[in-house]
Amino acid sequence: MILGIGTDLANIDRIQRTLDRFGDRFRNRVFTEVEQRKSERRRDVAGTYAKRWAAKEACSKALGTGLRMGIAWKDMSVSNLRTGQPVMHVTGWAADRLAKMTPPGHEAHIHVTLTDDHPWAQAIVMIEARPFADAAGESGGDA
């Protein structure tokens, strides 16, 4: 079952101006070390940061909070699998919120997709609740 959906569109040029103006202060406030390492080694540094910014905004919307109620930027982060697929991680208050949203007998799975076409970066986040598998390896839902 779908627990939440969020989307966000970020302007890459705006993120570049913010990086130019605030530099490490902005990076360290918003992005995890993993996100910073990934972004800084890319050819399109600002575009990579913009996609992660959009993912954080989209995730906060999918959690039903937006960036309020105690959620912190670093409570949501994006890494990539070896295949390049982005993966959303939540910690702190965001993880607590996700746990409260997830029905008993289910586990939450966060789907994220990122794209950019200068000057825009977009992210979509969908949070799904999946029934826990029982001891026989079958799902707990009706077939």
mmCIF file of all heavy atoms in Angstrom, residues 1-7 58-66 90 94-111 124-132:
data_model
loop_
_atom_site.group_PDB
_atom_site.id
_atom_site.type_symbol
_atom_site.label_atom_id
_atom_site.label_comp_id
_atom_site.label_asym_id
_atom_site.label_seq_id
_atom_site.Cartn_x
_atom_site.Cartn_y
_atom_site.Cartn_z
ATOM 1 N N MET A 1 0.842 -1.181 0.000
ATOM 2 C CA MET A 1 0.000 0.000 0.000
ATOM 3 C C MET A 1 0.882 1.237 0.000
ATOM 4 O O MET A 1 1.983 1.211 0.520
ATOM 5 C CB MET A 1 -0.943 -0.020 1.199
ATOM 6 C CG MET A 1 -0.395 0.567 2.468
ATOM 7 S SD MET A 1 -1.484 0.531 3.901
ATOM 8 C CE MET A 1 -1.634 -1.205 4.186
ATOM 9 N N ILE A 2 0.393 2.283 -0.610
ATOM 10 C CA ILE A 2 1.125 3.547 -0.698
ATOM 11 C C ILE A 2 0.856 4.358 0.568
ATOM 12 O O ILE A 2 -0.295 4.617 0.919
ATOM 13 C CB ILE A 2 0.690 4.364 -1.931
ATOM 14 C CG1 ILE A 2 0.839 3.541 -3.210
ATOM 15 C CG2 ILE A 2 1.482 5.675 -2.008
ATOM 16 C CD1 ILE A 2 2.229 3.068 -3.502
ATOM 17 N N LEU A 3 1.921 4.765 1.238
ATOM 18 C CA LEU A 3 1.799 5.585 2.443
ATOM 19 C C LEU A 3 1.952 7.071 2.147
ATOM 20 O O LEU A 3 1.396 7.901 2.862
ATOM 21 C CB LEU A 3 2.848 5.169 3.479
ATOM 22 C CG LEU A 3 2.779 3.742 3.987
ATOM 23 C CD1 LEU A 3 3.901 3.490 4.986
ATOM 24 C CD2 LEU A 3 1.425 3.456 4.627
ATOM 25 N N GLY A 4 2.728 7.392 1.126
ATOM 26 C CA GLY A 4 2.942 8.800 0.812
ATOM 27 C C GLY A 4 3.673 8.972 -0.500
ATOM 28 O O GLY A 4 4.440 8.110 -0.912
ATOM 29 N N ILE A 5 3.399 10.095 -1.158
ATOM 30 C CA ILE A 5 4.070 10.459 -2.401
ATOM 31 C C ILE A 5 4.480 11.924 -2.301
ATOM 32 O O ILE A 5 3.712 12.756 -1.807
ATOM 33 C CB ILE A 5 3.145 10.271 -3.629
ATOM 34 C CG1 ILE A 5 2.733 8.811 -3.767
ATOM 35 C CG2 ILE A 5 3.831 10.759 -4.905
ATOM 36 C CD1 ILE A 5 1.690 8.572 -4.842
ATOM 37 N N GLY A 6 5.677 12.217 -2.768
ATOM 38 C CA GLY A 6 6.138 13.597 -2.786
ATOM 39 C C GLY A 6 6.941 13.865 -4.042
ATOM 40 O O GLY A 6 7.566 12.960 -4.590
ATOM 41 N N THR A 7 6.916 15.088 -4.502
ATOM 42 C CA THR A 7 7.715 15.487 -5.653
ATOM 43 C C THR A 7 8.255 16.884 -5.400
ATOM 44 O O THR A 7 7.691 17.653 -4.615
ATOM 45 C CB THR A 7 6.890 15.438 -6.965
ATOM 46 O OG1 THR A 7 7.760 15.696 -8.071
ATOM 47 C CG2 THR A 7 5.755 16.427 -6.954
ATOM 48 N N ALA A 58 11.060 16.221 -1.592
ATOM 49 C CA ALA A 58 10.036 15.246 -1.976
ATOM 50 C C ALA A 58 9.812 14.226 -0.860
ATOM 51 O O ALA A 58 8.673 13.852 -0.571
ATOM 52 C CB ALA A 58 10.437 14.537 -3.270
ATOM 53 N N CYS A 59 10.883 13.792 -0.216
ATOM 54 C CA CYS A 59 10.748 12.831 0.879
ATOM 55 C C CYS A 59 9.981 13.434 2.052
ATOM 56 O O CYS A 59 9.101 12.779 2.627
ATOM 57 C CB CYS A 59 12.137 12.362 1.327
ATOM 58 S SG CYS A 59 12.097 11.062 2.581
ATOM 59 N N SER A 60 10.276 14.681 2.373
ATOM 60 C CA SER A 60 9.558 15.324 3.483
ATOM 61 C C SER A 60 8.069 15.435 3.174
ATOM 62 O O SER A 60 7.222 15.276 4.058
ATOM 63 C CB SER A 60 10.156 16.697 3.803
ATOM 64 O OG SER A 60 9.883 17.635 2.790
ATOM 65 N N LYS A 61 7.740 15.652 1.916
ATOM 66 C CA LYS A 61 6.332 15.710 1.505
ATOM 67 C C LYS A 61 5.688 14.326 1.589
ATOM 68 O O LYS A 61 4.549 14.187 2.031
ATOM 69 C CB LYS A 61 6.210 16.276 0.093
ATOM 70 C CG LYS A 61 6.623 17.742 -0.001
ATOM 71 C CD LYS A 61 6.719 18.216 -1.434
ATOM 72 C CE LYS A 61 7.248 19.639 -1.504
ATOM 73 N NZ LYS A 61 7.455 20.083 -2.891
ATOM 74 N N ALA A 62 6.425 13.294 1.152
ATOM 75 C CA ALA A 62 5.900 11.929 1.232
ATOM 76 C C ALA A 62 5.688 11.501 2.684
ATOM 77 O O ALA A 62 4.775 10.728 2.991
ATOM 78 C CB ALA A 62 6.840 10.954 0.524
ATOM 79 N N LEU A 63 6.517 12.023 3.581
ATOM 80 C CA LEU A 63 6.355 11.735 5.007
ATOM 81 C C LEU A 63 5.179 12.511 5.611
ATOM 82 O O LEU A 63 4.792 12.270 6.748
ATOM 83 C CB LEU A 63 7.639 12.072 5.776
ATOM 84 C CG LEU A 63 8.823 11.142 5.529
ATOM 85 C CD1 LEU A 63 10.098 11.744 6.096
ATOM 86 C CD2 LEU A 63 8.541 9.764 6.118
ATOM 87 N N GLY A 64 4.636 13.444 4.830
ATOM 88 C CA GLY A 64 3.466 14.195 5.284
ATOM 89 C C GLY A 64 3.790 15.358 6.184
ATOM 90 O O GLY A 64 2.920 15.884 6.867
ATOM 91 N N THR A 65 5.051 15.792 6.182
ATOM 92 C CA THR A 65 5.445 16.848 7.098
ATOM 93 C C THR A 65 5.927 18.105 6.408
ATOM 94 O O THR A 65 5.826 19.187 6.968
ATOM 95 C CB THR A 65 6.595 16.375 8.007
ATOM 96 O OG1 THR A 65 7.730 16.101 7.196
ATOM 97 C CG2 THR A 65 6.212 15.152 8.795
ATOM 98 N N GLY A 66 6.505 17.957 5.214
ATOM 99 C CA GLY A 66 7.277 19.061 4.683
ATOM 100 C C GLY A 66 8.462 19.244 5.610
ATOM 101 O O GLY A 66 8.717 18.406 6.475
ATOM 102 N N VAL A 90 16.556 7.308 5.639
ATOM 103 C CA VAL A 90 16.038 8.231 6.649
ATOM 104 C C VAL A 90 16.595 7.845 8.013
ATOM 105 O O VAL A 90 16.767 6.673 8.324
ATOM 106 C CB VAL A 90 14.494 8.277 6.676
ATOM 107 C CG1 VAL A 90 13.946 8.895 5.403
ATOM 108 C CG2 VAL A 90 13.892 6.912 6.895
ATOM 109 N N ALA A 94 12.964 11.768 10.855
ATOM 110 C CA ALA A 94 12.334 11.232 9.638
ATOM 111 C C ALA A 94 12.084 9.736 9.782
ATOM 112 O O ALA A 94 11.039 9.229 9.377
ATOM 113 C CB ALA A 94 13.191 11.523 8.418
ATOM 114 N N ALA A 95 13.040 9.017 10.369
ATOM 115 C CA ALA A 95 12.862 7.575 10.591
ATOM 116 C C ALA A 95 11.749 7.320 11.602
ATOM 117 O O ALA A 95 10.954 6.385 11.437
ATOM 118 C CB ALA A 95 14.169 6.944 11.065
ATOM 119 N N ASP A 96 11.680 8.159 12.632
ATOM 120 C CA ASP A 96 10.593 8.031 13.624
ATOM 121 C C ASP A 96 9.233 8.258 12.963
ATOM 122 O O ASP A 96 8.282 7.520 13.201
ATOM 123 C CB ASP A 96 10.776 9.037 14.769
ATOM 124 C CG ASP A 96 11.999 8.757 15.621
ATOM 125 O OD1 ASP A 96 12.552 7.629 15.544
ATOM 126 O OD2 ASP A 96 12.423 9.672 16.350
ATOM 127 N N ARG A 97 9.156 9.283 12.138
ATOM 128 C CA ARG A 97 7.903 9.586 11.418
ATOM 129 C C ARG A 97 7.519 8.425 10.507
ATOM 130 O O ARG A 97 6.356 8.012 10.459
ATOM 131 C CB ARG A 97 8.074 10.877 10.609
ATOM 132 C CG ARG A 97 6.934 11.189 9.676
ATOM 133 C CD ARG A 97 5.677 11.585 10.405
ATOM 134 N NE ARG A 97 4.651 11.890 9.426
ATOM 135 C CZ ARG A 97 3.370 11.736 9.619
ATOM 136 N NH1 ARG A 97 2.925 11.317 10.797
ATOM 137 N NH2 ARG A 97 2.505 12.024 8.680
ATOM 138 N N LEU A 98 8.488 7.861 9.793
ATOM 139 C CA LEU A 98 8.231 6.738 8.904
ATOM 140 C C LEU A 98 7.718 5.532 9.693
ATOM 141 O O LEU A 98 6.760 4.871 9.275
ATOM 142 C CB LEU A 98 9.496 6.367 8.128
ATOM 143 C CG LEU A 98 9.369 5.230 7.129
ATOM 144 C CD1 LEU A 98 8.334 5.554 6.051
ATOM 145 C CD2 LEU A 98 10.726 4.944 6.498
ATOM 146 N N ALA A 99 8.307 5.274 10.833
ATOM 147 C CA ALA A 99 7.872 4.146 11.669
ATOM 148 C C ALA A 99 6.423 4.340 12.130
ATOM 149 O O ALA A 99 5.634 3.380 12.135
ATOM 150 C CB ALA A 99 8.799 3.990 12.869
ATOM 151 N N LYS A 100 6.056 5.563 12.479
ATOM 152 C CA LYS A 100 4.674 5.839 12.920
ATOM 153 C C LYS A 100 3.671 5.706 11.781
ATOM 154 O O LYS A 100 2.518 5.359 12.003
ATOM 155 C CB LYS A 100 4.589 7.239 13.532
ATOM 156 C CG LYS A 100 5.253 7.340 14.882
ATOM 157 C CD LYS A 100 5.208 8.750 15.427
ATOM 158 C CE LYS A 100 5.995 8.807 16.723
ATOM 159 N NZ LYS A 100 6.286 10.157 17.148
ATOM 160 N N MET A 101 4.125 5.976 10.553
ATOM 161 C CA MET A 101 3.238 5.877 9.383
ATOM 162 C C MET A 101 3.007 4.440 8.944
ATOM 163 O O MET A 101 2.026 4.148 8.274
ATOM 164 C CB MET A 101 3.874 6.599 8.175
ATOM 165 C CG MET A 101 3.977 8.073 8.264
ATOM 166 S SD MET A 101 4.943 8.729 6.873
ATOM 167 C CE MET A 101 3.964 8.230 5.461
ATOM 168 N N THR A 102 3.930 3.572 9.287
ATOM 169 C CA THR A 102 3.923 2.206 8.778
ATOM 170 C C THR A 102 2.983 1.336 9.605
ATOM 171 O O THR A 102 3.157 1.226 10.816
ATOM 172 C CB THR A 102 5.350 1.620 8.791
ATOM 173 O OG1 THR A 102 6.218 2.518 8.085
ATOM 174 C CG2 THR A 102 5.384 0.252 8.135
ATOM 175 N N PRO A 103 1.986 0.706 8.970
ATOM 176 C CA PRO A 103 1.030 -0.109 9.713
ATOM 177 C C PRO A 103 1.700 -1.340 10.342
ATOM 178 O O PRO A 103 2.693 -1.848 9.814
ATOM 179 C CB PRO A 103 0.013 -0.555 8.655
ATOM 180 C CG PRO A 103 0.274 0.266 7.446
ATOM 181 C CD PRO A 103 1.673 0.763 7.542
ATOM 182 N N PRO A 104 1.144 -1.828 11.429
ATOM 183 C CA PRO A 104 1.669 -3.055 12.034
ATOM 184 C C PRO A 104 1.681 -4.193 11.005
ATOM 185 O O PRO A 104 0.800 -4.284 10.151
ATOM 186 C CB PRO A 104 0.671 -3.355 13.160
ATOM 187 C CG PRO A 104 0.015 -2.040 13.460
ATOM 188 C CD PRO A 104 -0.009 -1.293 12.156
ATOM 189 N N GLY A 105 2.704 -5.036 11.085
ATOM 190 C CA GLY A 105 2.814 -6.162 10.166
ATOM 191 C C GLY A 105 3.379 -5.796 8.808
ATOM 192 O O GLY A 105 3.382 -6.620 7.899
ATOM 193 N N HIS A 106 3.843 -4.555 8.660
ATOM 194 C CA HIS A 106 4.382 -4.076 7.385
ATOM 195 C C HIS A 106 5.768 -3.479 7.594
ATOM 196 O O HIS A 106 6.120 -3.074 8.696
ATOM 197 C CB HIS A 106 3.479 -3.007 6.776
ATOM 198 C CG HIS A 106 2.176 -3.522 6.285
ATOM 199 N ND1 HIS A 106 1.162 -3.911 7.141
ATOM 200 C CD2 HIS A 106 1.708 -3.717 5.038
ATOM 201 C CE1 HIS A 106 0.131 -4.324 6.432
ATOM 202 N NE2 HIS A 106 0.441 -4.216 5.146
ATOM 203 N N GLU A 107 6.524 -3.416 6.511
ATOM 204 C CA GLU A 107 7.784 -2.687 6.503
ATOM 205 C C GLU A 107 7.705 -1.626 5.419
ATOM 206 O O GLU A 107 7.062 -1.825 4.394
ATOM 207 C CB GLU A 107 8.970 -3.619 6.271
ATOM 208 C CG GLU A 107 8.948 -4.331 4.933
ATOM 209 C CD GLU A 107 10.115 -5.289 4.769
ATOM 210 O OE1 GLU A 107 11.124 -5.144 5.472
ATOM 211 O OE2 GLU A 107 10.007 -6.183 3.909
ATOM 212 N N ALA A 108 8.350 -0.511 5.670
ATOM 213 C CA ALA A 108 8.319 0.592 4.712
ATOM 214 C C ALA A 108 9.456 0.456 3.716
ATOM 215 O O ALA A 108 10.563 0.045 4.063
ATOM 216 C CB ALA A 108 8.416 1.922 5.446
ATOM 217 N N HIS A 109 9.162 0.802 2.485
ATOM 218 C CA HIS A 109 10.175 0.855 1.426
ATOM 219 C C HIS A 109 10.024 2.209 0.735
ATOM 220 O O HIS A 109 8.922 2.577 0.322
ATOM 221 C CB HIS A 109 9.990 -0.283 0.418
ATOM 222 C CG HIS A 109 11.014 -0.285 -0.646
ATOM 223 N ND1 HIS A 109 12.298 -0.750 -0.445
ATOM 224 C CD2 HIS A 109 10.979 0.153 -1.924
ATOM 225 C CE1 HIS A 109 12.984 -0.604 -1.561
ATOM 226 N NE2 HIS A 109 12.205 -0.062 -2.467
ATOM 227 N N ILE A 110 11.140 2.924 0.627
ATOM 228 C CA ILE A 110 11.114 4.246 0.000
ATOM 229 C C ILE A 110 11.670 4.132 -1.417
ATOM 230 O O ILE A 110 12.805 3.709 -1.618
ATOM 231 C CB ILE A 110 11.950 5.265 0.797
ATOM 232 C CG1 ILE A 110 11.453 5.353 2.239
ATOM 233 C CG2 ILE A 110 11.896 6.637 0.118
ATOM 234 C CD1 ILE A 110 12.324 6.219 3.127
ATOM 235 N N HIS A 111 10.858 4.505 -2.388
ATOM 236 C CA HIS A 111 11.279 4.557 -3.791
ATOM 237 C C HIS A 111 11.633 6.000 -4.117
ATOM 238 O O HIS A 111 10.914 6.922 -3.716
ATOM 239 C CB HIS A 111 10.134 4.131 -4.719
ATOM 240 C CG HIS A 111 9.597 2.766 -4.439
ATOM 241 N ND1 HIS A 111 10.127 1.620 -4.994
ATOM 242 C CD2 HIS A 111 8.564 2.359 -3.654
ATOM 243 C CE1 HIS A 111 9.447 0.570 -4.572
ATOM 244 N NE2 HIS A 111 8.489 0.989 -3.758
ATOM 245 N N ILE A 124 11.081 12.424 -7.341
ATOM 246 C CA ILE A 124 9.803 11.862 -6.923
ATOM 247 C C ILE A 124 10.114 10.793 -5.891
ATOM 248 O O ILE A 124 10.991 9.950 -6.109
ATOM 249 C CB ILE A 124 9.018 11.261 -8.109
ATOM 250 C CG1 ILE A 124 8.710 12.335 -9.148
ATOM 251 C CG2 ILE A 124 7.735 10.584 -7.618
ATOM 252 C CD1 ILE A 124 8.139 11.803 -10.449
ATOM 253 N N VAL A 125 9.394 10.834 -4.783
ATOM 254 C CA VAL A 125 9.554 9.848 -3.714
ATOM 255 C C VAL A 125 8.198 9.223 -3.433
ATOM 256 O O VAL A 125 7.193 9.929 -3.306
ATOM 257 C CB VAL A 125 10.122 10.495 -2.422
ATOM 258 C CG1 VAL A 125 10.088 9.525 -1.256
ATOM 259 C CG2 VAL A 125 11.536 11.000 -2.667
ATOM 260 N N MET A 126 8.190 7.903 -3.364
ATOM 261 C CA MET A 126 6.976 7.173 -2.996
ATOM 262 C C MET A 126 7.338 6.234 -1.852
ATOM 263 O O MET A 126 8.336 5.499 -1.934
ATOM 264 C CB MET A 126 6.440 6.361 -4.174
ATOM 265 C CG MET A 126 5.149 5.625 -3.818
ATOM 266 S SD MET A 126 4.531 4.580 -5.154
ATOM 267 C CE MET A 126 5.719 3.272 -5.118
ATOM 268 N N ILE A 127 6.529 6.277 -0.810
ATOM 269 C CA ILE A 127 6.736 5.384 0.328
ATOM 270 C C ILE A 127 5.679 4.300 0.280
ATOM 271 O O ILE A 127 4.482 4.589 0.236
ATOM 272 C CB ILE A 127 6.669 6.144 1.666
ATOM 273 C CG1 ILE A 127 7.711 7.273 1.681
ATOM 274 C CG2 ILE A 127 6.876 5.176 2.832
ATOM 275 C CD1 ILE A 127 7.626 8.174 2.893
ATOM 276 N N GLU A 128 6.144 3.064 0.277
ATOM 277 C CA GLU A 128 5.274 1.889 0.178
ATOM 278 C C GLU A 128 5.379 1.068 1.465
ATOM 279 O O GLU A 128 6.463 0.937 2.032
ATOM 280 C CB GLU A 128 5.745 1.045 -1.008
ATOM 281 C CG GLU A 128 5.068 -0.288 -1.151
ATOM 282 C CD GLU A 128 5.720 -1.169 -2.208
ATOM 283 O OE1 GLU A 128 6.871 -0.918 -2.615
ATOM 284 O OE2 GLU A 128 5.055 -2.130 -2.622
ATOM 285 N N ALA A 129 4.256 0.538 1.903
ATOM 286 C CA ALA A 129 4.250 -0.407 3.021
ATOM 287 C C ALA A 129 4.052 -1.804 2.450
ATOM 288 O O ALA A 129 3.083 -2.052 1.734
ATOM 289 C CB ALA A 129 3.133 -0.077 4.011
ATOM 290 N N ARG A 130 5.003 -2.685 2.755
ATOM 291 C CA ARG A 130 4.929 -4.065 2.288
ATOM 292 C C ARG A 130 4.691 -4.979 3.481
ATOM 293 O O ARG A 130 5.362 -4.840 4.506
ATOM 294 C CB ARG A 130 6.242 -4.477 1.628
ATOM 295 C CG ARG A 130 6.585 -3.701 0.384
ATOM 296 C CD ARG A 130 7.939 -4.137 -0.124
ATOM 297 N NE ARG A 130 8.293 -3.438 -1.348
ATOM 298 C CZ ARG A 130 9.500 -3.464 -1.874
ATOM 299 N NH1 ARG A 130 10.471 -4.150 -1.295
ATOM 300 N NH2 ARG A 130 9.744 -2.815 -2.992
ATOM 301 N N PRO A 131 3.771 -5.956 3.339
ATOM 302 C CA PRO A 131 3.563 -6.898 4.446
ATOM 303 C C PRO A 131 4.836 -7.694 4.718
ATOM 304 O O PRO A 131 5.570 -8.037 3.788
ATOM 305 C CB PRO A 131 2.453 -7.822 3.941
ATOM 306 C CG PRO A 131 1.856 -7.143 2.763
ATOM 307 C CD PRO A 131 2.907 -6.230 2.202
ATOM 308 N N PHE A 132 5.105 -7.954 6.007
ATOM 309 C CA PHE A 132 6.221 -8.817 6.355
ATOM 310 C C PHE A 132 5.967 -10.206 5.796
ATOM 311 O O PHE A 132 4.814 -10.668 5.756
ATOM 312 C CB PHE A 132 6.365 -8.947 7.880
ATOM 313 C CG PHE A 132 6.986 -7.746 8.538
ATOM 314 C CD1 PHE A 132 6.322 -7.091 9.562
ATOM 315 C CD2 PHE A 132 8.239 -7.282 8.155
ATOM 316 C CE1 PHE A 132 6.890 -6.000 10.194
ATOM 317 C CE2 PHE A 132 8.803 -6.183 8.770
ATOM 318 C CZ PHE A 132 8.135 -5.546 9.788
#
